[in-house]
Amino acid sequence: MGERLQAFYTLSIQEPEQFWSKEAESIYWHEPFKQVLDYSRPPFAKWFVGGKTNICYNAIDRHLKDRANQAALVFVSTETQQEKIYSFSQLHHEVNVMASIMRELGVKKGDRVVIYMPMIPEALFAMYACTRIGAVHSVVFGGFAAHSLAARIDDAKPQLMITADAGSRGGKVVPYKPLVDEACQKASFPPEHVLIINRGLDPNRTVIKQRDVNYGDIKEKHLNAQVNCEWVDSEHPSYILYTSGTTGKPKGVQRDTGGYLVAMSASIQHIYCGNAGETFFTTSDIGWVVGHSYIVYGPLISGMTTVVYEGLPIRPDPGIWWDVVNKYQVSIMFSSPTAIRVLKKQDPIYLDKNKTRSLRYLFLAGEPLDEPTAQWITQSLNIPVVDNYWQTETGWPILSAMLGVDNTPRKFGSPSFPVYGYNVQLINESTGEPAKDNEKGLLAVIPPLPPGCLSTIWGDDERFVKTYFSTFKDKYIYSTFDWGVRDTDGYYFILGRTDDVINVAGHRLGTREIEEAISSHHNVVEVAVVGVNDPIKGQKPFAFVVSKDNAYAKSKADRTQLENELFQTVDQLLGAIARPARVFFVSILPKTRSGKLLRRSIQALAEGRDPGDLTTLDDPTALESIKESLMQ
C-alpha cells in the first residue's frame, strides 16, 4: 500500500467521523445531519444521524439542472432485439409515473414492494420510484422458484408486487406470471395488488381480477404525474435484499438511505474511477447486490450513464459485450470471473481491441479471480483489470485497489488491500489473535461497519448479531466467513469460504488453494474441488475439471494422462497432502445465475445424496455432466 493510500486509509479508521463527514459532502441533504456516527449500541451503527435525504433525488432529480438531456439509462436486450436510451429528463418522467401508480395502489412510506422482474427499464423505474416515496423495495431475482418467492413475500409482507409476464434467456421465454400466482397462493401474506408489465412474451398469461393490474392500462391515467420526493431519515430502510442462510428462513439484508448514498458516491470516485458524463456497464442482474449498487444506484448518483443489459455474453455472438462497449463508449465495465472465463473459451477474433478503446478499467467480483483468467483478460484488453472482494451484506467492496486514490500495482489473484472504512483483520482460528503475514486466517472486520453496509437483518436484530458478530467470544467482530492470507507486501488473497474447508486426516485444506493449483495447468479452463466423506481420512478432495479441449478428455487414456498431470501440478505447488483423490472431467460446472459455484450440490452428488435446492441453478445440464463423470 503506497504512502498516499496508507494515509487515506488510516484517516478513515482512526478518524472515521472526520473522514465520512467530508465524503458526505457529495450528497444532497435536505436537512443536514447532526451526528456522523452513533455507535452507542454495538454492533449496530447509525450513520449521518439527524440528516434527511432521498436516494431517488440524488440519483435523478439533482442532475436535471445540468444533465437533463444526457443519457441516464441505456437498455440493450439481445433477447428481444430492443435498444432504448432514456435521458435523465425522460427517466425522471417514467419514475414519477411509476411512483404515482404505486400511490394509487396504496403504497406508502415504509411499505414494502416486491419486484420480481427481468432486466428491463421498468424494473429500475420501480426501484427508483420506491426510494422516491420512501417505500422499501425487495428485488427477487427473476426466475426464482415459487416457494422461494413465497418465503420472501412472507418475510417482507409487501403491499404491492411488480412483475412482468415473462423474461427470456438464450431466446427461450421464461413465464413469470405462473410463478407469481403460485407464490401468492403459497404465501401467508400475499400482496394486495400485483402490477404486471406485459411484454407480449406470454400469450397464455392469466389475470386474477381485483388483484392484478396492467401497467400499460393504469399508466395512461398518470402520464402527467409529479410526485414529490419523500425526505427520509438517513437510517430509513431503502431496500431489503435476501441472501443465502443456513436455515430455511430467508435472510433479508437491510440497507439504510444516507449511509448507502455516501458509500455509493465515494466508491464510484475512489474505487471505480468513474466521472460524471461517462458510461458504466455492469453485466450483473438487478436481483443481486452488484446490480443494486452498480447498475441501479452508484452510476446515476455520480451523474454517469448506466447500461442495463438483458441477454447472454455469447449471444448473438461472443463479441456482443464489446459491441455494447463500442457503441455506447463505455468507460468503466464491471463483470464476474465466471463471465470472463466463458469469453476466454471463445474464438479470440471476437475480442476486437478496436471496440474497447473507450474502456479505461475492468472490475471483476463475485468470486475469487484465478490468475490465468486475470492474465488473459489483462493482456487481451491492455487496461487495468481490478479484482475486488465484497458481499451482499456490505453493499460495496471490502478489499480492492483504490486507483482513484493511488495507482498501486495489482497482483494477479489478489483483490489488493482493505478498503477505506473497513478495519480489516485476519484472525487465527485457533488463537483468536491477528494472523501473521502468510498465515491463513478468518477475514473479519472490527466494527463499526462503514456506511452502506447492512444495518441489520430485516425484522430480526437478534439474528443479525448471532450470524455476523458471534464467531469470537466476548467481542464483537464481523465475520465474512471467508479464509484469507496477507503477503509481506500487504496484499490479501481469498482462499475460500470457511465452510469450503476439507479436513483430510487432520489437515485442513482450503478448496480454493487446490483449485488455484489445478487452474495453473495450461489445459484447464475451470475447476471445482469438494470434500467427500471418507471412512478413514474423514474427507478426501474430488476435483471436477472443465478442460480447454473437451474432446481431449473423452478417451480413458487421455483422461488418465491429464489426471496424472494435474496430480503432479498439485504435488509441486501444494504438496502430496493436497492431491485430489480423483479428477473428473465435465463439460460444465453447476452454478447459480449470478455465477456462484454450487459446491454443496456437487458434494452431495459425489456422496450419493440429493443435491438439494436448485432454484438458482443456471444450466440443468451441468448436474447431468457431474453425474456422468462420476459414473465413468
Side-chain angles (χ1 to χ4, degrees), residues 501-515:
V501 172
I502 303 172
N503 196 325
V504 182
H507 296 272
R508 295 171 66 80
L509 304 170
T511 56
R512 185 73 202 145
E513 297 166 277
I514 305 173
E515 287 169 356

Side-chain angles (χ1 to χ4, degrees), residues 416-432:
S416 293
F417 312 113
V419 169
Y420 54 88
Y422 291 97
N423 188 355
V424 171
Q425 299 281 328
L426 280 173
I427 300 181
N428 183 293
E429 183 191 25
S430 302
T431 65

Side-chain angles (χ1 to χ4, degrees), residues 39-216:
Y39 194 55
S40 59
R41 190 166 73 98
F44 298 90
K46 291 183 178 180
W47 289 95
F48 311 112
V49 180
K52 287 187 182 293
T53 186
N54 181 282
I55 289 179
C56 184
Y57 183 88
N58 276 280
I60 301 173
D61 297 60
R62 69 168 173 161
H63 299 306
L64 295 176
K65 179 174 177 290
D66 298 321
R67 305 185 178 279
N69 297 319
Q70 178 192 310
L73 188 159
V74 171
F75 171 59
V76 178
S77 173
T78 54
E79 297 291 338
T80 59
Q81 284 67 57
Q82 287 180 293
E83 291 191 32
K84 188 165 184 179
I85 298 174
Y86 295 86
S87 67
F88 274 97
S89 178
Q90 290 166 328
L91 181 60
H92 179 259
H93 168 73
E94 295 287 356
V95 171
N96 272 274
V97 170
M98 184 68 82
S100 185
I101 292 170
M102 286 183 181
R103 285 262 174 92
E104 181 183 332
L105 297 177
V107 179
K108 306 180 297 297
K109 175 184 174 182
D111 284 347
R112 276 76 63 206
V113 176
V114 168
I115 299 172
Y116 184 72
M117 296 273 278
M119 286 288 286
I120 57 176
E122 290 82 0
L124 282 79
F125 301 165
M127 295 171 77
Y128 296 130
C130 284
T131 58
R132 188 171 194 84
I133 64 176
V136 182
H137 64 66
S138 174
V139 180
V140 179
F141 181 79
F144 255 32
H147 75 271
S148 299
L149 179 56
R152 286 153 176 77
I153 289 171
D154 282 341
D155 195 62
K157 300 178 178 61
Q159 168 69 22
L160 173 68
M161 185 177 204
I162 305 178
T163 190
D165 61 335
S168 180
R169 186 169 179 82
K172 182 182 178 183
V173 171
V174 182
Y176 282 16
K177 186 60 168 46
L179 296 169
V180 168
D181 291 344
E182 185 182 347
C184 288
Q185 282 183 332
K186 291 185 173 187
S188 301
F189 301 95
E192 186 176 341
H193 293 291
V194 175
L195 180 65
I196 302 161
I197 288 83
N198 184 10
R199 306 178 72 191
L201 295 179
D202 182 11
N204 301 316
R205 177 175 62 89
T206 57
V207 176
I208 296 178
K209 292 181 179 179
Q210 271 75 54
R211 189 199 72 182
D212 292 351
V213 179
N214 186 289
Y215 175 68

Side-chain angles (χ1 to χ4, degrees), residues 484-553:
V485 67
R486 180 186 59 248
D487 71 11
T488 52
D489 296 324
Y491 287 80
Y492 283 69
F493 296 80
I494 300 300
L495 303 177
R497 298 290 288 173
T498 53
D499 54 7
D500 289 338
V501 172
I502 303 172
N503 196 325
V504 182
H507 296 272
R508 295 171 66 80
L509 304 170
T511 56
R512 185 73 202 145
E513 297 166 277
I514 305 173
E515 287 169 356
E516 283 279 3
I518 293 173
S519 292
S520 68
H521 190 281
H522 65 87
N523 199 24
V524 171
V525 172
E526 200 164 13
V527 58
V529 174
V530 298
V532 177
N533 284 332
D534 182 88
I536 297 178
K537 295 184 176 181
Q539 283 184 305
K540 56 187 176 185
F542 276 12
F544 294 84
V545 169
V546 179
S547 65
K548 277 186 181 171
D549 183 358
N550 284 328
Y552 171 78

Side-chain angles (χ1 to χ4, degrees), residues 521-523 547-559 561-563 565 585:
H521 190 281
H522 65 87
N523 199 24
S547 65
K548 277 186 181 171
D549 183 358
N550 284 328
Y552 171 78
K554 279 191 174 174
S555 77
K556 186 174 182 180
D558 288 339
R559 289 198 301 271
Q561 181 183 334
L562 184 50
E563 183 176 39
E565 289 177 15
F585 297 98

